[in-house]
Amino acid sequence: QQQVKQSPQSLIVQKGGISIINCAYENTAFDYFPWYQQFPGKGPALLIAIRPDVSEKKEGRFTISFNKSAKQFSLHIMDSQPGDSATYFCAAIRESGNQFYFGTGTSLTVIP
Amino acid sequence: ETGVTQTPRHLVMGMTNKKSLKCEQHLGHNAMYWYKQSAKKPLELMFVYNFKEQTENNSVPSRFSPECPNSSHLFLHLHTLQPEDSALYLCASSQESRPRGAEAFFGQGTRLTVV
């Protein structure tokens, strides 16, 4: 059973537009939710993360929105740029209990 | 450059071969990880080492054997692999093994093909 469901699988956005990637989880024991960015030929790199005690976290053009009651969280990329083209992974972690699950990834293409 | 170096970058091996993947981190971290990344599947955590001690083995088949001689080096020994083991194998390191390596630095990976 997949613990973290991520959508869409791929996304194409015009330059300057907003990219939105969604994730949903089942286990309410998860207590840390990071997003990773992966460029071709590179390993994933931590982009931004949130804990469930806040509903939103913003870092530059990247924002995580967190809906605890719906068990959903999403990544918003404002003013998307061609350099943002990459694969994005969400993850859900339970700090105790050794539980760490990634989503299946979203391939983002930003068209100039 | 993230400070985590993996070699080789690409590896093709037969099902009867024995090979090893190497990972080295120059960040002074004390936790290291092996992940498997297959196409259209979630990243799978395979092994966790914290202060050179294996703290997690996520039901990984015995044909994968990790080794962590010190906190800077991590190996993954491979033998009698199957074609379905073909994937990108990622090494990562972090200062502590909590929160479960989320703030880990990843290497570029080894692209493994089993023929």
Side-chain angles (χ1 to χ4, degrees), chain A residues 11-19 61 77 79-86 88 107-112:
Chain A
L11 181 62
I12 299 175
V13 174
Q14 291 278 355
K15 178 182 176 180
I18 302 174
S19 303
R61 295 184 294 110
I77 306 175
D79 187 26
S80 299
Q81 299 296 313
D84 297 330
S85 298
Y88 292 81
S107 176
L108 171 65
T109 302
V110 181
I111 301 172

Side-chain angles (χ1 to χ4, degrees), chain B residues 75-112:
Chain B
F75 296 90
L76 187 62
H77 304 299
L78 316 171
H79 65 97
T80 60
L81 294 192
Q82 303 298 312
E84 59 265 29
D85 296 322
S86 298
L88 181 69
Y89 288 84
L90 290 162
C91 172
S93 72
S94 67
Q95 185 55 35
E96 296 179 4
S97 65
R98 291 186 178 188
R100 301 294 290 108
E103 304 199 34
F105 291 83
F106 283 84
Q108 293 181 307
T110 295
R111 174 67 63 187
L112 173 67

Side-chain angles (χ1 to χ4, degrees), chain B residues 19-92:
Chain B
K19 297 286 184 183
S20 296
L21 309 185
K22 179 182 177 181
C23 177
E24 184 174 2
Q25 59 98 359
H26 311 276
L27 302 169
H29 290 164
N30 51 32
M32 297 187 77
Y33 312 80
W34 279 117
Y35 286 88
K36 177 182 178 182
Q37 186 175 32
S38 304
K40 299 182 180 179
K41 289 186 178 180
L43 274 165
E44 299 172 51
L45 179 63
M46 300 175 71
F47 300 105
V48 180
Y49 277 83
N50 197 13
F51 290 100
K52 302 187 300 177
E53 298 296 323
Q54 185 175 316
T55 57
E56 184 160 340
N57 174 343
N58 274 350
S59 303
V60 180
S62 60
R63 58 185 182 269
F64 295 91
S65 175
E67 178 189 2
C68 188
N70 55 62
S71 58
S72 298
H73 294 86
L74 185 65
F75 296 90
L76 187 62
H77 304 299
L78 316 171
H79 65 97
T80 60
L81 294 192
Q82 303 298 312
E84 59 265 29
D85 296 322
S86 298
L88 181 69
Y89 288 84
L90 290 162
C91 172

Side-chain angles (χ1 to χ4, degrees), chain A residues 8 10-11 21 24 28 33 40 42 44 52 61 72 78 84 86 90 93 95 101 103 106 108:
Chain A
S10 62
L11 181 62
I21 304 170
T28 55
F33 301 88
K42 302 287 187 180
R61 295 184 294 110
Q72 295 175 347
M78 313 300 286
D84 297 330
C90 63
I93 299 168
E95 294 188 356
Y101 299 96
T106 296
L108 171 65

